[in-house]
Amino acid sequence: MTRKLWGGRFPKKNTASVEEFTSSISFDQRLAKYDILGSIAHAKMLGRQKIIPAQEAKLLVKGLKTLLKDAEENKIKFSPQAEDIHSEIQNLLYKRIGETAYKLHTARSRNDQVALDVKLYLKEELDEIITLITQLQKSVLQFAEDSFGIIVPGYTHLQRAQCVLLTHHLLAYIEALQRDKERIIQAKERLDTLPLGSLALAGTGLPIDREMLRKELKFKKITENSIDSVADRDFILEVLADLSIMAMHFSRIAEDLILWASQEFAFLDIDFAFCTGSSIMPHKKNPDVLELIRGSSAKVFGDFSTLWALLKGLPYAYNRDLQLDKPALFDSIDTIKQNLKIFKELFLNLSIKEAVLKEKLKDEALFSVDIMEYLIKKGIPYPQAHNIVGRMVNDCLDKGKKIADLSQEELKQYSAKLSLEIKDFLNARASVKLKTSLGATSALQVKRQIKKWRFRLKD
Amino acid sequence: MTRKLWGGRFPKKNTASVEEFTSSISFDQRLAKYDILGSIAHAKMLGRQKIIPAQEAKLLVKGLKTLLKDAEENKIKFSPQAEDIHSEIQNLLYKRIGETAYKLHTARSRNDQVALDVKLYLKEELDEIITLITQLQKSVLQFAEDSFGIIVPGYTHLQRAQCVLLTHHLLAYIEALQRDKERIIQAKERLDTLPLGSLALAGTGLPIDREMLRKELKFKKITENSIDSVADRDFILEVLADLSIMAMHFSRIAEDLILWASQEFAFLDIDFAFCTGSSIMPHKKNPDVLELIRGSSAKVFGDFSTLWALLKGLPYAYNRDLQLDKPALFDSIDTIKQNLKIFKELFLNLSIKEAVLKEKLKDEALFSVDIMEYLIKKGIPYPQAHNIVGRMVNDCLDKGKKIADLSQEELKQYSAKLSLEIKDFLNARASVKLKTSLGATSALQVKRQIKKWRFRLKD
Amino acid sequence: MTRKLWGGRFPKKNTASVEEFTSSISFDQRLAKYDILGSIAHAKMLGRQKIIPAQEAKLLVKGLKTLLKDAEENKIKFSPQAEDIHSEIQNLLYKRIGETAYKLHTARSRNDQVALDVKLYLKEELDEIITLITQLQKSVLQFAEDSFGIIVPGYTHLQRAQCVLLTHHLLAYIEALQRDKERIIQAKERLDTLPLGSLALAGTGLPIDREMLRKELKFKKITENSIDSVADRDFILEVLADLSIMAMHFSRIAEDLILWASQEFAFLDIDFAFCTGSSIMPHKKNPDVLELIRGSSAKVFGDFSTLWALLKGLPYAYNRDLQLDKPALFDSIDTIKQNLKIFKELFLNLSIKEAVLKEKLKDEALFSVDIMEYLIKKGIPYPQAHNIVGRMVNDCLDKGKKIADLSQEELKQYSAKLSLEIKDFLNARASVKLKTSLGATSALQVKRQIKKWRFRLKD
Amino acid sequence: MTRKLWGGRFPKKNTASVEEFTSSISFDQRLAKYDILGSIAHAKMLGRQKIIPAQEAKLLVKGLKTLLKDAEENKIKFSPQAEDIHSEIQNLLYKRIGETAYKLHTARSRNDQVALDVKLYLKEELDEIITLITQLQKSVLQFAEDSFGIIVPGYTHLQRAQCVLLTHHLLAYIEALQRDKERIIQAKERLDTLPLGSLALAGTGLPIDREMLRKELKFKKITENSIDSVADRDFILEVLADLSIMAMHFSRIAEDLILWASQEFAFLDIDFAFCTGSSIMPHKKNPDVLELIRGSSAKVFGDFSTLWALLKGLPYAYNRDLQLDKPALFDSIDTIKQNLKIFKELFLNLSIKEAVLKEKLKDEALFSVDIMEYLIKKGIPYPQAHNIVGRMVNDCLDKGKKIADLSQEELKQYSAKLSLEIKDFLNARASVKLKTSLGATSALQVKRQIKKWRFRLKD
């Protein structure tokens, strides 16, 4: 039997169905480590403040430390009958140190305790996520540098638009990931405030020392309003929002790579080690990892949706609904971490199909802007230049001709300013080279970006 | 080591990280029973159609039946290294009957197999949910009948509006649940189509007999387009939509009861067996079950959101993203079933606080419409009647008077048609009795509803 | 100045900011027609039941009919200061027939009135949507029939899988749309219940006749619980769920077509009339219509999310939050109707690029299942057959060879059962022809489907 | 007829239905001001860089300035036939200055232009929102200070928990709003990067000067990757996430006030100017403003959901789906601004019902923690103290007794440490005074908070 942290007033026990329905131990057990860490600090403080005898505080700390060790080594078996991780830790402590265990909960409520646990958990997890983002960025950068010089058709509306350096395209991902990282750094900073000492909602009359708790638990600040401390979950919601935005980026990057790995785009090959086959089609080699990254982005979004809807319209302060913030949070943290890790590996298992790309880059439509800008430089106003090239492209498509094959005469029919000179840049390399504006796709501009990221991502 | 259903073409194995990332065994193992049932039917069909030797078919069926028994008794230990439940079942079968096991996958793809498994699962689960809804309705009906005669203030905008029979209010829940049930019945009917035999996407050239499969597996119909069969998941999305709508109803009913159980409303008491206490506040008795019902509605909505977003923009036919439909589905099915069960019990553990209610019903504002309708019956047009009563209520509030204490003279100041007669219905019982329109809250009308539901919900 | 339907009790007016904030006229004016229709029925009933004088009822009906005519001709200018459409209609009626106008609201509340208006609106809109779905299905069927015989690579995981008839692929859309239509038909049926006569929440003591109202307004049934009638919005939520599911299908169909219209897939051309160009790239021809269909699916989903979250946790009965159900509903109805109309047109403006397709169909990987099934028919068990073909495909890819070029000898190295005979079906037409199972992609099976749809979709 | 920015290649026009379907002028016209501002800077730059003749640049700037003036005075009538605001501005400019107008689009694409417009729009709107949040905080602070000294029951699980200063409860809102504000400040900072000069996706070969554009348009930075600049919308998604989180807070604050304004809680009165009445119930005074705030939070969440789902899985770079980011964004910006404004006013129109509160504060359960902490201070360990008080509370409830009426003897039956002394703090004032921990609800602690906010919110 597991002992409850309440019940004095209760003339009867909960039914088994209620116990099962309200228990959170199946998911909040993963807060064990943080619950114990918080409890160690709390016990020390209780002792120093003489709220409990110093001797008992020591006993608590000692017992908790053995629990911590076991928790870190995954040696604890949590009782499925436990109400929650907070009760369970006390029950486990009781088994080790006897009745004193229950004094740990002096001057504390599960309301401030759980807020503490989740913040400790998040500070650690977000740090890891920040590191993993940097590693993914480095992996992308590695691939981007390794493939420097490769040109691909860039797309808008999934229609071929203009030639771009593949490296340039990949660097766009790093920019997006950088914003994702910044958001998480700021979210972490914002939640770095100690809630412990807020108790149920009103604070306490016992002589606790929150500043000591803050130092012990390495928080930057102390929450300044006890009701806000226990009632709000915007710090979790913000994390889920940030992870959702990052997941959205993952889904788009995955989509790019899935397209590129198809037989139709055929820009690149994914190593067999990162593909799976079909139980029926012997020839299949599927980009499952990418599909699962794309698909699991929806889970992170769903978790945000769950938490938003859960919080909507709840009166202050704590309501039991809040218990359900954790499955959503844990699912998203796990999903994002897995995705960051596998994505990082995947970028090192791609190989470019240069021959295929070369073939595709022969599509002269990719140079239409170059011809137009040539005309503009020659003094033809933009609207006419646009029109001239539009007609030229269309005629060539209609007649199955190539612009490169047009004679000087034929060119002049479209504009007196056109000459055979344009053939000099009717190729991908020349086209890319022309794009010299700041942030554009010319090799020079792209090298600037590489340099920046090398510097910013270095350890 | 677990054997893959593919790999002939693969020169190397997946990395451990890829295997772990792509594995679904942790969640799809709960489809084991349905996977085996589908396989038994498939094996029989393969044998009868001579696609595999009759003898081998028998061996498959025999082996599968032993697996089925073990699965139903929860005796199977699934390998965490397995790729998915489909591979795992074959591997387990191999351990029992040897190489023949792998012939089971003849003329089948995991694409049609998983669609089959989920449909079999849903047919069973939805049947249970339909039964549980009826049980919840009966439980509400029981409480509604037991509390017949009790009057409560009805609210709009959470402001006291008019008196209603508590029974009438409770019967509104039964109406909503009935529509929830109908939706699920129709969703179940719609998905009752056998997908097996669609294979990867194109069907097969082997002489399978889908009609035999249909009969064996008790489907109403056979899917008529092999691509649609394996590509779509609208049948799951529809179920999640229907469960979301039901969960929305749960959240509203829970909100009503949470309000009513507060010290401020104090309409009713929830039995101790259905409440929990506080680790810090010894006096607390919290309606946690209701809060968790309200909160978990957000999970069901979040699951719908996940699946919708997951499906959005996926090209036909099967994509690996679809693997992730299952955690969302299972979570919602479980949540809804738990909620239905606990809710049903809870309605039998409520007790009305009649004395408190009596006090509240003295609020004369609750009778303002009765006075207005009295005036209308006396020939005063509605706009004037509304105005008269509005002024009367306001004056009484301003002066701290009761309408019941107004003299004939004072009444006449508002309207010549007013007389002391109105005092006859300045009480809750009279007020409720007046509401005789179809579907209104008078005892007669409410009894009609009870009779209807007694009939419709009887076994 | 616009007159309120309430205010007798109110000692002061709302501030201008409150009036603006609470007004719904900017969006609910589109319910004008239904509000008037409901009012005509209500006025007739009030007259026949002698709740108001017959003469006044006639005046009301007459006035309302002139308003109806103007509303249908879009001649009414609604005051932006109006509180809502219900007040506004009465104010407009007042301008035409004087004080009697305000008697219209006798034995009615805006709570049952707005539920009525939305149901009348939905019955009409859903009927139109049902018709539009059928028209879209017909349009797809037309394209499917016109392109009968065309073979395309079918994809799973966006990797080439097996050959399928384009017609077969298109018919998968029609299946999905059929389920979408069924859901809407059932939702419409379910909401076809008259709420008028429920008043604020409790019904009335005035002698109304709801059966007469039902007949006048052509509802199938009458709501049987007055609280449920005014408190719930599941009928709107269900419609939004159904439209979301349909929008999900749209997004997937659009994705297919966007892919197929890309230069890489190049299966088909979209007519210039259905594409737009680029302000900078003269050669561009973008599938904007399809992208907007795909994108706008997210709006419909967002509308469902809005309404679900809005309803969550609202206590019974009416709360003002419900006012905001309408912008979400209207947006989705409009979006879906527009999408249905433009999608229907678009399917008639596609042209297949047969030459490109022919080239793609030379990819022998598309026939791997055919070789495998050939081997199975020859008595090789499936697992070995899968393996044999897997190795063969891989070797050919490695060595840049074609299976069709392998000699009898080379074939035998993979399996003694292989012979040059297999070359007979190493082509798309033969491959498709082999798929004879029920619902498969062979011409015979596909013709069955066409026949079915011709019959089911005929007027 | 409106002139397109493209079309040279197009042999035919769009159908009217396509034009209507793809047009965004109905909603993006509100970007007019920002489009013109961006164009003025662009024209100046084109002139200085000699990409167009200086004379023409001047003409463009002059024409644009007249348009800007008209736009700011809402004098422009946008053609409903226009494709989008970008085309429309050029068409309007053409009417004023002739053909030169179309040269404005030199070295620019609508892809970078629209990203610019939205960023300019957001920088302005977010600044206003930041100001409005501060104003709301001040309004809450005003109310909090004015009601200093008022004590209310604090709730957890919507059950009475402990006494708190109303001021303390209100200050919790200010804390939450502060985090909301910080998030928006950081989002604004992050998006303060000039995208103009990225063109379609690849940059340009024309000699543009992005640094000049940055200075003219007052951006902090320049985007450094042209593909990222035009492809991503995370800056909008982040804003919607931040607004959603704030809206969640609004919904909770509104819920508190709706509860408090109910007859059951009856903590406060909302001024008539901020309530509305009922068309049927003459006595009603409904908190509609609060309900609409609560309800509209769901719209903001729905807008986030729309945009997330819209972006999911889109390949890089620009896709037309992105056009639909604007209705969602505008709706949320408008909703949040309206809510901030009306909420600020509302807090100045509340009045506390002190008499009612006094009555409620007599509930001795509110002091159970005080008795428990008294016992702990007397040396009774927490678990026993909790138990003692639990039994005492229960007995009193059972026997209908008050703790304050218990004799010394009766008290001793629960614990020898209990004495009549406890009666000194069996009142709300004493109870609150005891809560002296940092951030707790004692007057001293609350004054500290007030001082902090006075300082932080001062202009």
Side-chain angles (χ1 to χ4, degrees), chain D residues 143-326:
Chain D
F143 180 54
E145 291 196 57
D146 290 349
S147 56
F148 191 83
I150 303 281
I151 298 172
V152 295
Y155 294 77
T156 61
H157 306 256
L158 206 62
Q159 294 286 312
R160 285 189 195 153
Q162 295 181 262
C163 293
V164 295
L165 281 179
L166 173 58
T167 305
H168 188 57
H169 190 117
L170 295 166
L171 291 169
Y173 303 161
I174 301 183
E175 294 277 348
L177 290 167
Q178 187 65 20
R179 292 189 296 275
D180 294 336
K181 189 162 58 179
E182 278 176 22
R183 274 186 281 267
I184 289 170
I185 290 169
Q186 291 171 343
K188 180 176 164 266
E189 179 91 5
R190 196 169 359 264
L191 65 78
D192 199 356
T193 55
L194 173 93
L196 196 62
S198 302
L199 285 86
L201 80 160
T204 182
L206 297 170
I208 60 171
D209 180 350
R210 297 186 71 199
E211 177 57 21
M212 177 185 169
L213 292 171
R214 185 195 68 73
K215 274 190 205 138
E216 283 281 336
L217 292 165
K218 299 191 182 55
F219 277 89
K220 291 229 168 97
K221 292 186 185 168
I222 299 172
T223 60
E224 299 180 18
N225 180 295
S226 58
I227 294 177
D228 177 56
S229 304
V230 295
D232 213 344
R233 288 296 184 269
D234 64 345
F235 69 97
I236 303 182
L237 194 55
E238 178 179 358
V239 168
L240 289 180
D242 292 348
L243 299 183
S244 295
I245 296 171
M246 181 157 53
M248 178 277 289
H249 283 140
F250 288 179
S251 79
R252 297 189 68 181
I253 299 171
E255 178 78 8
D256 271 356
L257 298 175
I258 289 169
L259 287 174
W260 292 353
S262 70
Q263 283 86 356
E264 316 311 329
F265 280 79
F267 287 17
L268 49 74
D269 245 338
I270 306 172
D271 192 83
F272 276 101
F274 271 75
C275 294
T276 70
S278 157
S279 68
I280 167 165
M281 294 172 286
H283 68 284
K284 279 309 246 7
K285 186 184 161 209
N286 296 323
D288 298 65
V289 167
L290 289 163
E291 294 170 277
L292 288 169
I293 289 174
R294 180 180 59 188
S296 65
S297 71
K299 288 206 303 168
V300 181
F301 165 68
D303 290 330
F304 173 85
S305 299
T306 292
L307 189 57
W308 195 93
L310 184 138
L311 292 172
K312 187 237 168 186
L314 285 191
Y316 279 63
Y318 184 85
N319 298 277
R320 186 66 177 260
D321 316 56
L322 299 183
Q323 173 174 302
L324 299 171
D325 57 3
K326 279 172 281 303

Side-chain angles (χ1 to χ4, degrees), chain D residues 352-368:
Chain D
I352 309 295
K353 290 172 147 176
E354 295 199 44
V356 177
L357 282 170
K358 246 174 213 152
E359 206 52 44
K360 289 180 189 283
L361 294 172
K362 289 180 182 161
D363 181 354
E364 289 180 333
L366 291 164
F367 313 124
S368 72

Side-chain angles (χ1 to χ4, degrees), chain A residues 155-157 159-161 261 263-264 278-280 282-284 291 309-310 312 360 365 368-369 372 382 386, chain C residues 155-157 159-161 261 263-264 278-284 291 309-310 312 360 365 368 372 382 386:
Chain A
Y155 295 77
T156 62
H157 307 255
Q159 294 286 314
R160 286 188 194 154
Q263 283 85 358
E264 317 311 330
S278 158
S279 69
I280 169 164
H283 69 283
K284 277 311 246 5
E291 293 170 278
L310 184 139
K312 187 239 169 184
K360 289 180 190 283
S368 71
V369 174
M372 183 181 77
Y382 147 74
H386 188 283
Chain C
Y155 295 77
T156 62
H157 307 255
Q159 295 286 313
R160 285 188 195 153
Q263 283 84 0
E264 316 311 328
S278 159
S279 69
I280 167 164
M281 294 172 285
H283 68 285
K284 279 308 247 8
E291 293 170 277
L310 184 139
K312 189 239 168 185
K360 289 179 190 284
S368 71
M372 184 182 74
Y382 147 73
H386 188 282

Side-chain angles (χ1 to χ4, degrees), chain B residues 97-131:
Chain B
I97 65 164
E99 270 300 325
T100 305
Y102 293 104
K103 296 205 183 168
L104 177 58
H105 208 59
T106 314
R108 190 171 72 171
S109 156
R110 285 179 297 181
N111 295 0
D112 55 347
Q113 189 178 357
V114 73
L116 173 70
D117 290 2
V118 178
K119 284 186 173 179
L120 286 171
Y121 161 81
L122 272 175
K123 284 174 64 177
E124 200 165 295
E125 293 287 357
L126 295 184
D127 263 341
E128 190 181 341
I129 285 173
I130 291 161
T131 303

Side-chain angles (χ1 to χ4, degrees), chain D residues 18-46:
Chain D
V18 169
E19 291 217 330
E20 193 193 325
F21 187 75
T22 56
S23 168
S24 57
I25 192 69
S26 66
F27 52 84
D28 67 9
Q29 59 179 256
R30 92 195 246 159
L31 293 176
K33 176 180 151 193
Y34 309 100
D35 200 77
I36 299 169
L37 282 170
S39 291
I40 289 173
H42 189 64
K44 284 185 186 170
M45 185 277 289
L46 290 177

Side-chain angles (χ1 to χ4, degrees), chain B residues 56-89:
Chain B
E56 295 191 341
K58 268 188 198 157
L59 184 61
L60 286 171
V61 171
K62 202 179 144 192
L64 285 164
K65 283 189 175 166
T66 68
L67 273 175
L68 181 62
K69 193 163 166 292
D70 289 358
E72 286 177 335
E73 291 167 6
N74 283 314
K75 281 188 191 157
I76 299 182
K77 270 228 16 118
F78 298 102
S79 162
Q81 272 76 47
E83 189 179 5
D84 54 33
I85 187 62
H86 321 302
S87 320
E88 178 66 358
I89 292 295

